[in-house]
């Protein structure tokens, strides 16, 4: 490794001989954005757009201060700190070629557990106009059953008792807004997570917390803080050791944590910013009045499609998404699910060719060079199903329409939650509700419908006779025949009835 050039600001001129690098002067860029959650997706998406923007000298006020919020973010924080916020973005093209570039838009990095007050003060700084978030679906502390903020969360209880040293995003934002109120500094809080109405949810959950923690802030937030909804899209697999070694070998550059992604990228944002914003539209983002139709399309087709492929593929013993979608029966199943159950719930998509969009998705899922790990796609499924799959189920049930394909996917998840694939190999299940899921999955072996009693996930779905019947039938068919034969049966039945 000694012969490699370490990626950092000091070595940037040397690195630029091997990989395209920022040509703007990073020392002149100051942070105007605080971003919480500096994982792969942020670095392939918002930081990518912003890096392009910074090549125009008029945008020097829009650098990013990246915040690592959680204890287990230590590694990414240390890596980016050592590399002065620099990292390589590796785009895996559909033909197998690799497009590499060094991204320089993250100009500061902070580690919240080490110095909470430093992060609060940064969020409260007059230089900061926007606070963006990628804290995952589960990070919003939303209880699906009660449709409310979960005050029983021990970390929320901790934050209420220790306001100056918080652990959750809500504690940090509340204290930062309290400081901003003193100086009347408006700000925009922008969610970049895969949640329908992500800005609306961020606002509702934050105000729920503020009402209890600092109620005198409520009116000021309503007037001086905006929460635009946005739709984000770029498939970004976890970086593998092979990705790192290939980059190092091909370029002679030592980057400890590059990001890999597909060539496709999309960002649709409601134009509601209280303190100014970058001109992201000049580098491909789209600003609209209402993002709802676009995000609904994406969440219920792309994200749900990922979940379908992940759960079915995991049970079949697949390790990557492309492997699952190249199983022709699973591919057909996904196509029929999208056509028969999702498409009827979508509307108001002016200028969008849905058939073309769905075909593009199948091609993106099938990118054999991406190697998007099924373990990653299936992680935290308890937070994903209520957002990606169940809205389609509920919309279809409301009109007495087809739910058989979704029922099979939920049934497959119940069997997946037992922890073994069809080859009796252990599944790697990463989910905050792992224990509860495993418990219900065991009980479901005797009575499948018991799995639907997890109200925080399924809400009142257990009271739908139509869905319970479809789910129970699917569970029994999978248990007796396996995933492959089950999807073939479902496909034939759907095609037969046209």
């Amino acid at each position: 490794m000694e012969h490699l050039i370490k990626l950092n600001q000091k070595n940037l001129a040397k690195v630029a001989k091997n990989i395209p690098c920022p040509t703007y002067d990073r020392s002149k860029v100051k942070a105007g954005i605080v971003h919480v959650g500096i994982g792969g997706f942020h670095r392939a998406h918002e930081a990518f757009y912003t890096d392009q923007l910074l090549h125009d000298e008029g945008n020097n006020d829009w650098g990013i201060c990246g915040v690592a919020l959680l204890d287990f973010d230590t590694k990414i924080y240390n890596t980016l700190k050592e590399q002065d916020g620099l990292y390589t973005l590796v785009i895996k093209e559909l033909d197998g070629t690799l497009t590499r570039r060094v991204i320089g838009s993250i100009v500061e990095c902070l580690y919240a557990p080490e110095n909470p007050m430093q992060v609060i003060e940064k969020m409260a700084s007059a230089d900061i106009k926007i606070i963006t978030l990628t804290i995952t679906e589960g990070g919003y502390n939303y209880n699906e059953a009660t449709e409310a903020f979960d005050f029983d969360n021990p970390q929320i209880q901790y934050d209420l008792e220790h306001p100056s040293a918080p652990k959750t995003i809500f504690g940090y934002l509340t204290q930062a807004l309290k400081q901003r109120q003193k100086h009347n500094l408006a700000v925009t809080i922008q969610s970049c997570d895969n949640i329908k109405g992500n800005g609306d949810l961020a606002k509702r959950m934050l105000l729920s917390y503020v009402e209890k923690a600092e109620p005198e802030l409520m009116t000021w937030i309503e007037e001086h803080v905006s929460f635009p909804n946005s739709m984000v899209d770029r498939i970004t697999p976890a970086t593998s050791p092979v990705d790192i070694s290939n980059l190092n070998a091909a370029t002679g550059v030592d980057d400890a944590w590059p990001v890999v992604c597909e060539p496709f990228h999309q960002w649709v944002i409601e134009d509601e910013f209280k303190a100014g914003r970058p001109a992201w539209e000049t580098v491909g983002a789209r600003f609209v009045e209402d993002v709802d139709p676009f995000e609904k399309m994406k969440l219920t087709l792309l994200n749900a499609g990922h979940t379908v492929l992940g759960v079915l593929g995991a049970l079949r013993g697949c390790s990557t998404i492309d492997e699952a979608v190249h199983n022709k029966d699973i591919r057909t199943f996904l196509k029929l699910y999208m056509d028969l159950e999702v498409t009827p719930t979508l509307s108001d998509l002016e200028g969008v060719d849905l058939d073309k969009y769905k075909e593009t998705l199948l091609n993106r899922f099938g990118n054999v060079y991406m190697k998007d790990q099924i373990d990653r796609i299936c992680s935290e499924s308890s937070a994903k199903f209520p957002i990606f799959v169940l809205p389609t189920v509920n919309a279809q049930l409301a009109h007495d329409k087809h739910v058989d394909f979704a029922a099979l996917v939920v049934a497959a998840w119940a069997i997946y939650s037992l922890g073994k694939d069809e080859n009796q190999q252990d599944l790697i299940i990463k989910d905050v509700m792992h224990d509860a899921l495993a418990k219900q999955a065991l009980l479901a072996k005797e009575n499948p419908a018991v799995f639907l009693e997890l109200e925080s996930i399924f809400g009142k779905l257990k009271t739908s006779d139509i869905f319970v019947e479809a789910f129970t039938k699917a569970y029994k068919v999978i248990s007796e025949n396996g995933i492959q034969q089950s999807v073939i049966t479902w496909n034939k039945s759907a095609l037969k009835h046209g």
Side-chain angles (χ1 to χ4, degrees), residues 21-38:
C21 287
T23 56
Y24 51 89
D25 184 348
R26 295 180 77 230
S27 69
K28 293 181 179 177
V29 176
K30 70 177 181 181
I33 302 166
V34 165
H35 180 80
V36 180
I38 45 179

Side-chain angles (χ1 to χ4, degrees), residues 4-15:
L4 297 175
I5 306 166
K6 179 65 185 172
L7 178 58
N8 56 35
Q9 185 62 40
K10 183 180 72 173
N11 294 334
L12 201 56
K14 293 180 184 176
V15 172

Side-chain angles (χ1 to χ4, degrees), residues 283-322:
V283 289
R286 179 174 179 178
F287 284 92
V288 298
E289 285 187 18
D290 182 10
V291 80
D292 182 72
F294 297 92
E295 64 185 8
K296 185 177 180 183
M297 174 187 76
K298 189 255 179 173
L299 293 171
T300 57
L301 289 172
L302 182 138
N303 295 110
H306 256 151
T307 294
V308 171
L309 293 172
V311 172
L312 302 188
L315 285 180
R316 281 291 294 156
C318 301
S319 59
T320 60
I321 288 295
D322 64 287

Side-chain angles (χ1 to χ4, degrees), residues 148-272:
F149 190 82
D150 181 12
F151 281 103
D152 293 331
N153 180 337
Q155 289 198 319
I156 296 298
Q157 293 290 329
Y158 177 92
D159 281 8
L160 289 169
E161 293 171 11
H162 305 85
S164 62
K167 294 182 180 293
T168 76
I169 186 62
F170 303 102
Y172 279 98
L173 289 175
T174 299
Q175 294 308 308
L177 292 176
K178 188 176 180 181
Q179 288 194 25
R180 295 187 79 94
Q181 181 194 32
K182 292 177 184 175
H183 303 286
N184 207 34
L185 294 171
V187 72
T188 297
I189 296 174
Q190 183 183 0
S191 169
C192 299
D193 281 301
N194 284 317
I195 300 171
K196 186 175 180 297
N198 52 14
D200 294 338
L201 182 67
K203 179 178 181 179
R204 187 153 67 87
M205 294 299 99
L206 177 60
L207 287 179
S208 295
Y209 179 85
V210 169
E211 189 172 25
K212 184 167 283 194
E214 303 282 352
E216 68 283 355
L217 269 177
M218 294 288 286
T219 302
W220 186 86
I221 290 174
E222 288 283 4
E223 294 176 0
H224 296 89
V225 184
S226 61
F227 299 82
N229 292 307
S230 69
M231 184 269 266
V232 296
D233 190 3
R234 190 170 216 178
I235 297 172
T236 308
T239 303
S240 72
V242 172
D243 291 322
I244 296 173
S245 61
N246 285 348
L247 174 67
N248 295 351
T251 65
V253 174
D254 178 11
D255 183 345
W257 205 327
V259 178
V260 298
C261 64
E262 65 170 337
F264 182 93
H265 55 87
Q266 189 175 24
W267 199 6
V268 184
I269 313 164
E270 290 175 355
D271 201 355
E272 297 176 6

Side-chain angles (χ1 to χ4, degrees), residues 333-351:
F333 178 94
L334 175 57
K335 178 76 165 59
L336 288 168
Y337 167 72
M338 293 194 294
D339 289 345
L340 299 176
E341 298 186 8
V342 182
T343 299
T345 71
L346 301 175
S347 60
D348 304 323
L349 286 162
E350 188 175 337

